[in-house]
Coordinates of all heavy atoms in Angstrom, one line a residue:
Chain A
L62 N -38.0 41.5 77.5 CA -37.0 42.3 78.2 C -36.5 43.4 77.3 O -36.5 44.6 77.7 CB -35.8 41.5 78.7 CG -36.1 40.4 79.8 CD1 -34.9 39.6 80.1 CD2 -36.7 41.1 81.1
I63 N -36.0 43.1 76.1 CA -35.3 44.0 75.3 C -35.1 43.5 73.9 O -35.2 42.3 73.7 CB -33.9 44.4 75.9 CG1 -33.5 45.8 75.6 CG2 -32.9 43.4 75.5 CD1 -32.4 46.3 76.5
Q64 N -34.9 44.5 73.0 CA -34.6 44.1 71.6 C -33.3 44.9 71.2 O -33.2 46.0 71.5 CB -35.7 44.5 70.6 CG -35.4 44.2 69.2 CD -36.5 44.5 68.2 OE1 -37.3 43.6 68.0 NE2 -36.7 45.7 67.7
L65 N -32.4 44.1 70.5 CA -31.2 44.7 70.0 C -31.2 44.7 68.5 O -31.6 43.6 67.9 CB -29.9 44.0 70.5 CG -29.8 43.9 72.1 CD1 -28.7 42.9 72.4 CD2 -29.7 45.2 72.7
V66 N -30.8 45.7 67.8 CA -30.9 45.8 66.4 C -29.5 46.1 65.7 O -29.2 45.6 64.7 CB -31.9 46.9 66.0 CG1 -32.0 47.0 64.5 CG2 -33.3 46.6 66.6
K67 N -28.7 46.9 66.3 CA -27.5 47.4 65.7 C -26.3 46.5 66.1 O -26.2 46.0 67.2 CB -27.2 48.8 66.1 CG -28.3 49.8 65.8 CD -28.0 51.2 66.3 CE -29.1 52.2 66.0 NZ -28.8 53.5 66.5
S68 N -25.4 46.4 65.1 CA -24.2 45.7 65.3 C -23.4 46.3 66.5 O -23.2 47.5 66.5 CB -23.3 45.7 64.0 OG -22.0 45.2 64.3
G69 N -23.0 45.4 67.4 CA -22.2 45.9 68.6 C -23.0 46.6 69.6 O -22.4 47.1 70.6
E70 N -24.3 46.6 69.5 CA -25.1 47.4 70.4 C -25.0 46.8 71.8 O -25.0 45.6 72.0 CB -26.6 47.3 69.9 CG -27.5 48.3 70.7 CD -28.9 48.4 70.0 OE1 -29.2 47.5 69.1 OE2 -29.7 49.3 70.4
V71 N -25.0 47.7 72.8 CA -25.0 47.4 74.2 C -26.1 48.2 74.9 O -26.2 49.4 74.7 CB -23.7 47.7 74.9 CG1 -23.8 47.3 76.4 CG2 -22.6 46.9 74.2
K72 N -27.0 47.5 75.6 CA -28.1 48.2 76.3 C -28.1 47.7 77.8 O -27.8 46.5 78.0 CB -29.4 47.9 75.7 CG -29.7 48.6 74.4 CD -31.1 48.4 73.9 CE -31.4 49.2 72.7 NZ -32.8 49.1 72.2
K73 N -28.4 48.6 78.7 CA -28.4 48.2 80.1 C -29.8 48.4 80.7 O -30.5 49.4 80.4 CB -27.4 49.0 80.9 CG -25.9 48.6 80.5 CD -24.9 49.2 81.5 CE -23.5 48.7 81.1 NZ -22.5 49.3 82.1
Q74 N -30.2 47.5 81.6 CA -31.4 47.7 82.4 C -31.0 47.4 83.8 O -30.9 46.2 84.2 CB -32.5 46.8 81.9 CG -33.1 47.1 80.6 CD -34.2 46.1 80.2 OE1 -34.4 45.1 80.8 NE2 -35.0 46.4 79.1
K75 N -30.7 48.4 84.6 CA -30.3 48.2 86.0 C -29.1 47.2 86.0 O -28.0 47.5 85.5 CB -31.4 47.7 86.8 CG -32.6 48.7 86.9 CD -33.7 48.3 87.8 CE -34.8 49.3 87.8 NZ -36.0 48.9 88.7
R76 N -29.3 46.1 86.6 CA -28.1 45.1 86.7 C -28.0 44.2 85.5 O -27.1 43.4 85.4 CB -28.4 44.2 87.9 CG -28.3 45.0 89.3 CD -28.6 44.1 90.5 NE -30.0 43.6 90.4 CZ -30.3 42.4 90.0 NH1 -29.4 41.5 89.7 NH2 -31.6 42.0 90.0
L77 N -28.8 44.4 84.5 CA -28.8 43.5 83.3 C -28.1 44.3 82.1 O -28.4 45.5 81.9 CB -30.2 43.2 82.8 CG -30.9 42.0 83.5 CD1 -31.0 42.2 85.0 CD2 -32.2 41.7 82.9
T78 N -27.2 43.6 81.5 CA -26.5 44.2 80.3 C -26.6 43.3 79.1 O -26.3 42.1 79.2 CB -25.0 44.4 80.6 OG1 -24.8 45.3 81.7 CG2 -24.3 45.1 79.4
F79 N -27.1 43.8 78.0 CA -27.4 43.0 76.8 C -26.4 43.5 75.7 O -26.2 44.7 75.6 CB -28.8 43.3 76.3 CG -29.9 42.9 77.4 CD1 -30.3 43.9 78.3 CD2 -30.5 41.7 77.4 CE1 -31.2 43.6 79.2 CE2 -31.5 41.4 78.3 CZ -31.8 42.3 79.2
Q80 N -25.8 42.5 75.0 CA -24.9 42.9 73.9 C -25.3 42.2 72.7 O -25.8 41.0 72.7 CB -23.5 42.5 74.3 CG -22.9 43.4 75.4 CD -21.4 43.1 75.6 OE1 -20.9 42.0 75.4 NE2 -20.7 44.1 76.0
F81 N -25.1 42.8 71.5 CA -25.3 42.2 70.2 C -24.0 42.2 69.6 O -23.3 43.2 69.5 CB -26.3 43.1 69.4 CG -27.0 42.3 68.3 CD1 -26.9 41.0 68.1 CD2 -27.8 43.0 67.4 CE1 -27.5 40.3 67.1 CE2 -28.5 42.4 66.4 CZ -28.3 41.0 66.2
G82 N -23.6 41.0 69.0 CA -22.2 40.9 68.5 C -22.0 41.8 67.2 O -23.0 42.2 66.6
E83 N -20.7 42.0 67.0 CA -20.4 42.9 65.8 C -20.9 42.2 64.5 O -21.3 43.0 63.6 CB -18.9 43.0 65.7 CG -18.3 43.9 66.9 CD -18.7 45.3 66.8 OE1 -19.1 45.8 65.7 OE2 -18.6 46.0 67.9
A84 N -20.8 40.9 64.4 CA -21.3 40.2 63.2 C -22.8 40.0 63.2 O -23.3 39.4 62.3 CB -20.5 38.9 63.0
K85 N -23.5 40.3 64.3 CA -24.9 40.1 64.4 C -25.3 38.7 64.3 O -26.3 38.3 63.8 CB -25.7 41.0 63.4 CG -25.4 42.5 63.6 CD -26.3 43.3 62.6 CE -27.7 43.4 63.0 NZ -28.5 44.3 62.2
K86 N -24.4 37.8 64.9 CA -24.7 36.4 64.9 C -24.8 35.9 66.4 O -25.1 34.7 66.6 CB -23.6 35.6 64.2 CG -23.7 35.7 62.7 CD -22.7 34.8 62.0 CE -22.8 34.8 60.5 NZ -21.9 33.9 59.8
N87 N -24.5 36.7 67.3 CA -24.5 36.3 68.7 C -24.9 37.4 69.6 O -24.8 38.6 69.2 CB -23.2 35.7 69.1 CG -22.0 36.6 69.0 OD1 -21.9 37.6 69.7 ND2 -21.2 36.4 67.9
S88 N -25.4 37.0 70.8 CA -25.8 38.0 71.8 C -25.5 37.5 73.2 O -25.4 36.2 73.3 CB -27.3 38.4 71.6 OG -27.7 39.3 72.5
S89 N -25.5 38.3 74.1 CA -25.3 37.9 75.5 C -26.1 38.7 76.4 O -26.5 39.9 76.2 CB -23.8 37.9 75.9 OG -23.4 39.3 75.9
L90 N -26.5 38.1 77.6 CA -27.2 38.8 78.7 C -26.3 38.5 79.9 O -26.1 37.4 80.3 CB -28.6 38.2 78.8 CG -29.3 38.4 80.2 CD1 -29.4 39.8 80.5 CD2 -30.6 37.7 80.2
H91 N -25.9 39.6 80.5 CA -25.1 39.5 81.7 C -25.9 40.1 82.9 O -26.4 41.3 82.8 CB -23.8 40.2 81.5 CG -22.9 40.2 82.7 ND1 -22.1 39.2 83.0 CD2 -22.7 41.2 83.7 CE1 -21.4 39.4 84.2 NE2 -21.8 40.6 84.6
I92 N -26.0 39.4 84.0 CA -26.6 40.0 85.2 C -25.5 40.1 86.3 O -24.8 39.2 86.6 CB -27.7 39.1 85.7 CG1 -28.8 38.8 84.7 CG2 -28.3 39.7 87.0 CD1 -29.9 37.9 85.1
T93 N -25.4 41.3 86.8 CA -24.4 41.6 87.8 C -25.1 41.5 89.2 O -26.2 41.9 89.4 CB -23.9 43.1 87.7 OG1 -23.4 43.3 86.4 CG2 -22.9 43.4 88.7
A94 N -24.3 40.8 90.1 CA -24.8 40.6 91.5 C -26.2 40.1 91.5 O -27.1 40.8 91.9 CB -24.7 41.9 92.2
T95 N -26.4 38.8 91.1 CA -27.7 38.3 91.0 C -28.5 38.3 92.3 O -27.9 38.3 93.4 CB -27.6 36.8 90.6 OG1 -26.8 36.1 91.5 CG2 -27.1 36.7 89.2
Q96 N -29.8 38.4 92.2 CA -30.7 38.4 93.3 C -31.7 37.2 93.1 O -31.8 36.8 92.0 CB -31.4 39.7 93.5 CG -30.5 40.9 93.7 CD -31.2 42.2 93.7 OE1 -32.4 42.3 93.5 NE2 -30.4 43.3 93.8
T97 N -32.4 36.9 94.2 CA -33.3 35.8 94.1 C -34.4 36.1 93.1 O -35.1 35.2 92.5 CB -33.9 35.4 95.4 OG1 -34.4 36.6 96.1 CG2 -32.8 34.8 96.4
T98 N -34.7 37.4 92.9 CA -35.7 37.8 92.0 C -35.3 37.6 90.5 O -36.1 37.7 89.6 CB -36.1 39.3 92.1 OG1 -34.8 40.0 92.1 CG2 -36.7 39.5 93.5
D99 N -34.0 37.2 90.3 CA -33.6 37.0 88.9 C -33.8 35.5 88.5 O -33.6 35.2 87.3 CB -32.1 37.2 88.8 CG -31.7 38.7 89.0 OD1 -32.5 39.6 88.6 OD2 -30.7 38.9 89.7
V100 N -34.3 34.7 89.4 CA -34.6 33.3 89.1 C -35.6 33.2 87.9 O -36.6 33.9 87.9 CB -35.1 32.6 90.3 CG1 -35.8 31.2 89.9 CG2 -34.1 32.4 91.3
G101 N -35.3 32.3 87.0 CA -36.2 32.1 85.9 C -35.4 31.5 84.7 O -34.2 31.2 84.8
T102 N -36.1 31.4 83.6 CA -35.5 31.0 82.3 C -35.4 32.2 81.4 O -36.4 32.9 81.2 CB -36.3 29.9 81.7 OG1 -36.3 28.8 82.6 CG2 -35.6 29.4 80.4
Y103 N -34.2 32.4 80.8 CA -34.0 33.5 79.9 C -33.9 33.0 78.5 O -33.1 32.1 78.2 CB -32.7 34.3 80.3 CG -32.9 35.0 81.6 CD1 -32.6 34.3 82.8 CD2 -33.3 36.3 81.7 CE1 -32.8 34.9 84.1 CE2 -33.4 36.9 82.9 CZ -33.2 36.2 84.1 OH -33.3 36.9 85.3
F104 N -34.7 33.5 77.6 CA -34.8 33.1 76.2 C -34.3 34.2 75.3 O -34.6 35.4 75.5 CB -36.2 32.8 75.8 CG -36.8 31.6 76.5 CD1 -37.6 31.7 77.6 CD2 -36.5 30.3 76.0 CE1 -38.2 30.6 78.2 CE2 -37.1 29.2 76.6 CZ -38.0 29.4 77.7
C105 N -33.5 33.9 74.3 CA -33.3 34.8 73.2 C -34.2 34.4 72.1 O -34.6 33.2 72.0 CB -31.8 34.9 72.8 SG -31.2 33.3 72.1
A106 N -34.6 35.3 71.2 CA -35.5 35.0 70.1 C -35.1 35.9 68.9 O -34.7 37.0 69.1 CB -36.9 35.2 70.5
K107 N -35.4 35.4 67.8 CA -35.2 36.2 66.6 C -36.5 36.2 65.8 O -37.3 35.2 65.9 CB -34.1 35.6 65.7 CG -34.4 34.3 65.1 CD -33.3 33.9 64.0 CE -33.8 32.7 63.2 NZ -32.8 32.4 62.1
G108 N -36.7 37.2 65.1 CA -37.9 37.3 64.3 C -38.3 38.7 63.9 O -37.9 39.6 64.5
N109 N -39.1 38.8 62.9 CA -39.7 40.0 62.5 C -41.2 39.9 62.3 O -41.7 38.8 62.0 CB -39.1 40.5 61.2 CG -37.6 40.9 61.3 OD1 -37.3 41.8 62.1 ND2 -36.7 40.2 60.7
Y110 N -41.9 41.0 62.4 CA -43.3 40.9 62.2 C -43.7 40.2 60.9 O -43.1 40.5 59.9 CB -43.9 42.4 62.2 CG -45.3 42.3 61.7 CD1 -46.3 41.8 62.6 CD2 -45.7 42.6 60.4 CE1 -47.6 41.7 62.2 CE2 -47.0 42.5 60.0 CZ -47.9 42.0 60.9 OH -49.2 41.9 60.5
G111 N -44.6 39.3 61.0 CA -45.1 38.6 59.8 C -44.3 37.4 59.5 O -44.7 36.6 58.6
Q112 N -43.3 37.1 60.3 CA -42.5 35.9 60.1 C -42.5 35.1 61.3 O -43.1 35.5 62.3 CB -41.0 36.3 59.7 CG -40.9 37.2 58.5 CD -39.5 37.7 58.3 OE1 -38.6 37.3 59.1 NE2 -39.3 38.6 57.4
N113 N -41.8 33.9 61.2 CA -41.7 33.1 62.4 C -40.8 33.8 63.5 O -39.8 34.3 63.2 CB -41.0 31.8 62.1 CG -41.9 30.9 61.2 OD1 -43.1 31.2 61.0 ND2 -41.3 29.8 60.7

Side-chain angles (χ1 to χ4, degrees):
Chain A
L62 292 177
I63 209 159
Q64 175 174 272
L65 305 172
V66 179
K67 300 178 182 177
S68 170
E70 189 171 13
V71 178
K72 288 188 176 180
K73 293 189 176 183
Q74 291 180 350
K75 297 183 179 179
R76 295 178 294 103
L77 277 61
T78 302
F79 304 85
Q80 291 189 327
F81 202 9
E83 294 290 342
K85 299 182 74 173
K86 288 187 175 182
N87 57 74
S88 180
S89 66
L90 159 59
H91 179 82
I92 302 178
T93 302
T95 55
Q96 300 175 359
T97 55
T98 54
D99 296 324
V100 165
T102 302
Y103 293 85
F104 294 97
C105 63
K107 68 170 191 175
N109 290 298
Y110 169 74
Q112 303 172 6
N113 291 350

